[in-house]
Amino acid sequence: MWKEFKSFAMKGNVLDLAVAVVIGAAFGKIVTSLVADIIMPLVGMLSGGIDPLKKLSFTFREATVNYGLFLQAVVDFFIISFSIFLVIKLVGKFKRKEVVKVEVVEAPAPDPEIALLTEIRDLLRAEKQSEI
């Protein structure tokens, strides 16, 4: 069982995925800080000095529903996903495009006997079709 786990864990795809998760988490923190510390304060200044989303809530009996925090998470998600999209596009531009050479191989000429039999077959079909 240990050998199977070791071979699974050392496959290239698993290691690539682990690196992607770590980098994605770090990138997510950067974008979250961008949203929380730069973009939303600017939105707050434009809306009259209030934080437009985080303070949105209502009270129902004894429970307080902070739907503004949910809306803030949605805004964060869209900004983070758009940022990741831009980074992926940028990386895609820098990748070298591989040139694939395709060789055209002509089919070998059929054996003369097979060619003659094929011609006879086609003539017989044509003759049979003309009789119908």
Side-chain angles (χ1 to χ4, degrees):
M1 190 161 120
W2 176 250
K3 283 183 180 181
E4 289 179 27
F5 175 73
K6 187 177 177 183
S7 70
F8 169 76
M10 293 302 156
K11 283 185 181 177
N13 294 342
V14 174
L15 293 175
D16 291 344
L17 180 62
V19 169
V21 168
V22 171
I23 290 175
F27 186 72
K29 288 181 182 180
I30 291 170
V31 176
T32 300
S33 175
L34 170 73
V35 171
D37 301 329
I38 296 174
I39 294 176
M40 291 315 290
L42 291 174
V43 170
M45 283 180 11
L46 294 174
S47 65
I50 59 169
D51 191 356
L53 295 179
K54 288 185 179 177
K55 295 184 180 174
L56 295 176
S57 65
F58 67 89
T59 304
F60 182 71
R61 296 189 185 175
E62 295 180 10
T64 302
V65 178
N66 296 316
Y67 65 93
L69 294 175
F70 173 74
L71 293 175
Q72 181 66 45
V74 171
V75 170
D76 291 351
F77 168 77
F78 283 119
I79 292 173
I80 289 170
S81 58
F82 183 70
S83 301
I84 290 173
F85 169 75
L86 291 178
V87 167
I88 290 172
K89 276 189 71 100
L90 184 67
V91 168
K93 284 185 179 182
F94 287 123
K95 275 189 174 180
R96 293 164 64 195
K97 295 189 179 193
E98 296 179 21
V99 177
V100 178
K101 292 183 180 180
V102 177
E103 290 185 28
V104 177
V105 179
E106 293 183 24
D111 194 24
E113 291 177 10
I114 294 175
L116 182 60
L117 290 171
T118 304
E119 187 177 334
I120 293 171
R121 180 198 66 201
D122 293 343
L123 289 172
L124 288 173
R125 274 190 190 159
E127 187 177 309
K128 193 174 186 178
Q129 290 291 333
S130 65
E131 289 177 0
I132 297 178

